[in-house]
Amino acid sequence: MLLHPIDLDKTLGAVFIGNVVASALFGVTSLQTFIFFRGNTRDRKLFKNLIAFLWILDLVHLLFMTHGIYTYLISDFGDYEALTRPTWSLLAQVIVTCVSDVIVRCVFGRRIWLLSGHNYVLLLIITTSSILVFSMGVAFAARGFIDGSYTRLILESWILYTALGGSVVVDGIVTTSLCMLLENIRTGFKSTDSLVNTLMLYSINTGLLTSLCATACFVTFAIWPHQFVFMGFYFALSKLHVNSLLAVLNTRETLRKRNSGMTSIPQSPSSIEPLTMNFITSSALSSGPESPSIAKPRPSKLSWQDKC
């Protein structure tokens, strides 16, 4: 017996639109993954395997979503009672999302650790928060398998609220840390500061997208807990995280061409190594005996190396 009226627009319609958007984002992920591997000789094999694993997770995530929606629309067509029970595949995609997101956050967290000069406190905050979000997401999926009903699962909604709220907080910490650390390495030279500005813009944009998506999921679940609107946003969440990482990786060549004074381009905006300032004296430029020996600064070079 249905305890709440079924609104097909906010249930099947919401997850259908979410699946369409997620499919389009998977296409973007596949294209960016292809660009990443094409002619890539700079990254280590372990890091390449990690990116390949993220793409596989993204594919599995899409398959699970599609299976769940197919079950509701085709296998259980006309059975409104079925909409009160989560399918195993929709619960499984939550776990896949958690795994994918925690990997992406750890990649950014490691690079923040490198950029901050091995700041273990900052690393601990990001890692602990990421693990908390991962644990809450997996716990919510586990409760779904145990309860077997959305009505009972809603009683455990604090788990989902914690996971989504934590996701916004972690993404905010990562974005803020990147921007603050990048700001600290400004040198006053136009080429270096231009690159820093570009990287800060990438960091803000990617962090903002994922935070807005998680916030939308949080708000829609709070407003319509018995509908599937929040799922439509949740379907896109993991794909936004993966695409944010790939977008940063694939901008290296563009930045390298734009900044001819740079020796190498990074794996992510947080992998900048400490800047060094070299000095040359005017005596090295002039052989005249009366030339004064005055130290002159020479533009420093950003050196980004992948250490995965």
Side-chain angles (χ1 to χ4, degrees), residues 205-227:
N205 287 341
T206 54
L208 184 62
L209 279 175
T210 54
S211 295
L212 285 177
C213 186
T215 301
C217 189
F218 186 103
V219 171
T220 52
F221 182 74
I223 297 175
W224 300 294
H226 298 283
Q227 309 296 345

Side-chain angles (χ1 to χ4, degrees), residues 161-236:
Y161 286 136
T162 303
L164 294 174
S167 179
V168 175
V169 171
V170 176
D171 290 341
I173 292 174
V174 170
T175 301
T176 302
S177 299
L178 285 174
C179 291
M180 292 180 63
L181 292 171
L182 287 169
E183 180 67 25
N184 290 336
I185 65 172
R186 291 184 182 277
T187 63
F189 292 103
K190 184 177 180 180
S191 59
T192 301
D193 289 354
S194 176
L195 178 58
V196 170
N197 290 335
T198 302
L199 294 174
M200 289 178 66
L201 183 61
Y202 275 120
S203 301
I204 293 173
N205 287 341
T206 54
L208 184 62
L209 279 175
T210 54
S211 295
L212 285 177
C213 186
T215 301
C217 189
F218 186 103
V219 171
T220 52
F221 182 74
I223 297 175
W224 300 294
H226 298 283
Q227 309 296 345
F228 295 170
V229 179
F230 74 97
M231 289 189 192
F233 290 102
Y234 191 79
F235 286 170

Side-chain angles (χ1 to χ4, degrees), residues 66-236:
T66 304
H67 176 273
I69 296 172
Y70 181 91
T71 301
Y72 286 143
L73 292 176
I74 307 300
S75 301
D76 295 330
F77 177 76
D79 184 3
Y80 289 163
E81 284 285 351
L83 296 179
T84 65
R85 301 185 298 270
T87 66
W88 68 267
S89 50
L90 288 180
L91 294 175
Q93 64 87 22
V94 174
I95 298 176
V96 174
T97 295
C98 294
V99 174
S100 178
D101 290 354
V102 76
I103 291 175
V104 173
R105 290 191 179 106
C106 286
V107 171
F108 279 112
R110 183 176 185 275
R111 280 161 171 70
I112 290 176
W113 176 67
L114 293 173
L115 180 60
S116 63
H118 297 180
N119 187 326
Y120 286 96
V121 175
L122 188 56
L123 177 64
L124 181 63
I125 292 174
I126 295 175
T127 303
T128 303
S129 302
S130 299
I131 293 175
L132 173 64
V133 174
F134 169 80
S135 302
M136 290 295 100
V138 173
F140 187 76
R143 289 303 311 178
F145 280 113
I146 295 173
D147 294 337
S149 168
Y150 286 120
T151 302
R152 289 195 292 269
L153 185 59
I154 290 173
L155 299 177
E156 309 288 344
S157 59
W158 67 270
I159 302 177
L160 183 61
Y161 286 136
T162 303
L164 294 174
S167 179
V168 175
V169 171
V170 176
D171 290 341
I173 292 174
V174 170
T175 301
T176 302
S177 299
L178 285 174
C179 291
M180 292 180 63
L181 292 171
L182 287 169
E183 180 67 25
N184 290 336
I185 65 172
R186 291 184 182 277
T187 63
F189 292 103
K190 184 177 180 180
S191 59
T192 301
D193 289 354
S194 176
L195 178 58
V196 170
N197 290 335
T198 302
L199 294 174
M200 289 178 66
L201 183 61
Y202 275 120
S203 301
I204 293 173
N205 287 341
T206 54
L208 184 62
L209 279 175
T210 54
S211 295
L212 285 177
C213 186
T215 301
C217 189
F218 186 103
V219 171
T220 52
F221 182 74
I223 297 175
W224 300 294
H226 298 283
Q227 309 296 345
F228 295 170
V229 179
F230 74 97
M231 289 189 192
F233 290 102
Y234 191 79
F235 286 170

Side-chain angles (χ1 to χ4, degrees), residues 9 35 42 58 69 78 107 121 142 166 198 236 242-243 248 259 268 286 298 307:
D9 287 331
I35 294 173
R42 293 175 176 267
D58 216 38
I69 296 172
V107 171
V121 175
T198 302
V242 174
N243 272 296
V248 171
N259 299 272
S268 81
S286 173
R298 182 169 57 192
K307 299 179 181 179

